[in-house]
Amino acid sequence: MSSISEILNNPAYHDYLAILKGARNGFVYGVKVRFPHALIMAILFGRGDWISRLKVIFRATKQHALNLAKFVSIYKTILLLQKKTNGGKPRNADNFIAGLIGGYIVFGDRNAVNEQIVLYVCSRVVASFIPRASSPYSTSSSSGAAVRPVPPDSRYFSLFAAACWGAVMWLFEHRGETVQPGMFNSMTYLYRDSERWKDLRTLIWHNT
């Protein structure tokens, strides 16, 4: 046990073990994020019996978890390779290059899970260009981080929110084929299913 502890705490092995830990964290985070989402979607919009729905939940959770594990592993590995080719010193562009390659390898295959993840990441990238407020978030999970996230300036965020909702509602009504399927189903449930009912039961208690 002492030899294992020495390896785990040896700085010479840190970067290599960080790849392993990153893969582990990617897998666990993927399960935590995807399983409840897939379960709710199966309850609200799922078709077929529960055996079929459980298979869909399992496949989506497995794919999300494995993809995050693979991406973190590839990203950290490429960062390490770039660092070694530069005399042990990281460069500003290293993160972009590692993310670019990892994103293409892992998330370049278009499927429902990858599409949702990429659109989520894209929305965060776009939102990062909103001017920031003057102080960080009051509570932040990035304990020990050198940088604390700063929320968007409330004035600009209001304009950003209005533009997003105006755009997505127009797309839903006039270019529905371009809306991501999960969001399209949610919007159909909210805005079109609410236009139809047969009696008091389907008005208040049950959707159709």
Side-chain angles (χ1 to χ4, degrees):
M1 292 298 291
S2 60
S3 59
I4 294 178
S5 180
E6 289 177 4
I7 293 174
L8 294 178
N9 293 291
N10 189 333
Y13 300 113
H14 175 271
D15 290 343
Y16 302 100
L17 294 173
I19 296 173
L20 176 63
K21 180 67 180 290
R24 178 265 178 199
N25 283 7
F27 185 86
V28 171
Y29 187 79
V31 171
K32 288 183 176 180
V33 170
R34 176 57 59 172
F35 177 75
H37 175 268
L39 178 62
I40 295 300
M41 295 302 287
I43 293 172
L44 292 178
F45 305 113
R47 296 179 180 177
D49 57 30
W50 269 103
I51 298 298
S52 301
R53 298 189 194 192
L54 288 174
K55 289 180 180 178
V56 171
I57 293 171
F58 175 77
R59 284 198 300 268
T61 302
K62 177 184 175 183
Q63 184 180 12
H64 195 142
L66 289 177
N67 278 8
L68 282 183
K70 286 188 288 186
F71 177 81
V72 176
S73 302
I74 293 171
Y75 173 77
K76 283 181 170 289
T77 299
I78 295 175
L79 278 183
L80 180 58
L81 291 174
Q82 291 179 107
K83 184 179 176 181
K84 285 184 172 297
T85 59
N86 194 44
K89 297 179 181 179
R91 293 162 291 195
N92 287 339
D94 287 356
N95 305 91
F96 177 77
I97 294 171
L100 191 77
I101 297 173
Y104 182 82
I105 294 173
V106 178
F107 297 108
D109 180 27
R110 200 207 69 78
N111 54 62
V113 172
N114 281 356
E115 189 174 336
Q116 290 172 356
I117 295 173
V118 171
L119 290 176
Y120 173 86
V121 172
C122 178
S123 69
R124 268 48 184 178
V125 172
V126 172
S128 72
F129 292 99
I130 304 173
R132 301 289 103 179
S134 57
S135 58
Y137 288 97
S138 55
T139 57
S140 176
S141 60
S142 8
S143 55
V147 177
R148 291 183 61 190
V150 178
D153 184 291
S154 59
R155 297 166 297 177
Y156 294 102
F157 181 79
S158 298
L159 297 175
F160 178 71
C164 285
W165 279 100
V168 77
M169 297 312 300
W170 184 87
L171 287 171
F172 177 65
E173 289 297 333
H174 302 288
R175 294 193 61 195
E177 71 278 3
T178 65
V179 179
Q180 191 270 339
M183 187 167 194
F184 185 86
N185 289 337
S186 299
M187 296 181 76
T188 298
Y189 183 81
L190 291 170
Y191 306 111
R192 290 184 180 161
D193 289 359
S194 59
E195 296 287 331
R196 301 191 301 269
W197 61 88
K198 297 176 182 177
D199 48 33
L200 185 60
R201 176 178 172 273
T202 54
L203 177 67
I204 302 297
W205 179 251
H206 199 271
N207 183 41
T208 55

